[in-house]
Amino acid sequence: MGAASEGRFAERLRRRWQRTERTYSAEEDRPLRGYLVAMAAFGVYTAGWATMVKMRGRPLPDRPVPWDVALTAVATFRLSRLVSKASVTSPLRAPFTTFQGPQGPAELHEEARSEGAKDTVGELVTCPFCMSVWVASTLTAGQLLWPRATRTAMGALTALAGADALQLTYSALVAKTTGE
């Protein structure tokens, strides 16, 4: 392919992408490019973990053990909320978000900053559902590379999730019995 035809192809691709962004967004500001970069970053991140697992020669299990799946699910839930909503982790999110107010026990409501790439990163770090994809991948890789340490950490996160559920249940029971 010659330089001229490559230039025309690149220009057609750029125009098509701009048209796609316009028609998709319906006049809303949606950071599609940022999402594309985030997807590529996740692919690189996952490929990095997969490469480490392969280099270490760790065999993959034939199928996931149900107990590990349950432990990973609860630990992912708790760590995702800790990273994306907890007051104590707000300094990690602050460069990409703006504080809006409290949201539930020990959690914050923050909005993503709309400053280029900060918008996409802000959405990722304030969304426990989005964060859980990264956390579950990390915990899964950890189980393959450092199973004992990872399961210990996941056990602690699961205990924390259980303690949170008990705290909320206790608060609800106190409120119900005292009429508050």
Side-chain angles (χ1 to χ4, degrees), residues 143-157:
Q143 288 178 74
L144 294 170
L145 293 168
W146 310 284
R148 291 178 66 172
T150 303
R151 283 190 184 94
T152 300
M154 290 191 323
L157 289 164

Side-chain angles (χ1 to χ4, degrees), residues 16 44 50 56 61 64 79 93 99 113 133-134 141 145 156 165-166:
R16 180 179 211 118
V44 169
R56 295 268 313 263
L79 187 54
R93 297 185 304 273
F99 174 76
R113 293 188 187 185
V133 174
W134 293 77
L145 293 168
L166 291 170

Side-chain angles (χ1 to χ4, degrees), residues 165-180:
L166 291 170
Q167 295 288 0
L168 293 170
T169 302
Y170 178 81
S171 294
L173 288 171
V174 167
K176 185 176 181 175
T177 58
T178 61
E180 294 177 14

Side-chain angles (χ1 to χ4, degrees), residues 61-79:
D62 289 334
R63 66 180 72 85
V65 177
W67 174 249
D68 282 344
V69 173
L71 193 63
T72 303
V74 177
T76 296
F77 162 78
R78 189 64 201 104
L79 187 54

Side-chain angles (χ1 to χ4, degrees), residues 16-162:
R16 180 179 211 118
W17 178 257
Q18 287 174 336
R19 186 172 52 249
T20 300
E21 282 183 308
R22 265 192 324 273
T23 57
Y24 173 79
S25 68
E27 305 305 318
E28 293 287 325
D29 187 25
R30 300 301 305 151
L32 285 183
R33 288 181 191 168
Y35 295 155
L36 191 58
V37 170
M39 288 183 346
F42 182 76
V44 169
Y45 181 72
T46 304
W49 278 119
T51 301
M52 284 179 60
V53 169
K54 185 167 179 73
M55 287 174 53
R56 295 268 313 263
R58 302 289 270 182
L60 294 177
D62 289 334
R63 66 180 72 85
V65 177
W67 174 249
D68 282 344
V69 173
L71 193 63
T72 303
V74 177
T76 296
F77 162 78
R78 189 64 201 104
L79 187 54
S80 296
R81 290 208 73 82
L82 182 64
V83 171
S84 64
K85 295 290 182 187
S87 300
V88 72
T89 56
S90 62
L92 302 174
R93 297 185 304 273
F96 311 102
T97 63
T98 304
F99 174 76
Q100 300 295 307
Q103 176 184 317
E107 290 191 344
L108 302 178
H109 173 66
E110 298 164 321
E111 292 289 329
R113 293 188 187 185
S114 56
E115 302 167 14
K118 288 185 178 185
D119 189 15
T120 304
V121 176
E123 281 191 42
L124 173 66
V125 299
T126 60
C127 172
F129 298 96
C130 306
M131 186 58 62
S132 67
V133 174
W134 293 77
V135 169
S137 297
T138 303
L139 293 175
T140 300
Q143 288 178 74
L144 294 170
L145 293 168
W146 310 284
R148 291 178 66 172
T150 303
R151 283 190 184 94
T152 300
M154 290 191 323
L157 289 164
T158 299
L160 181 58

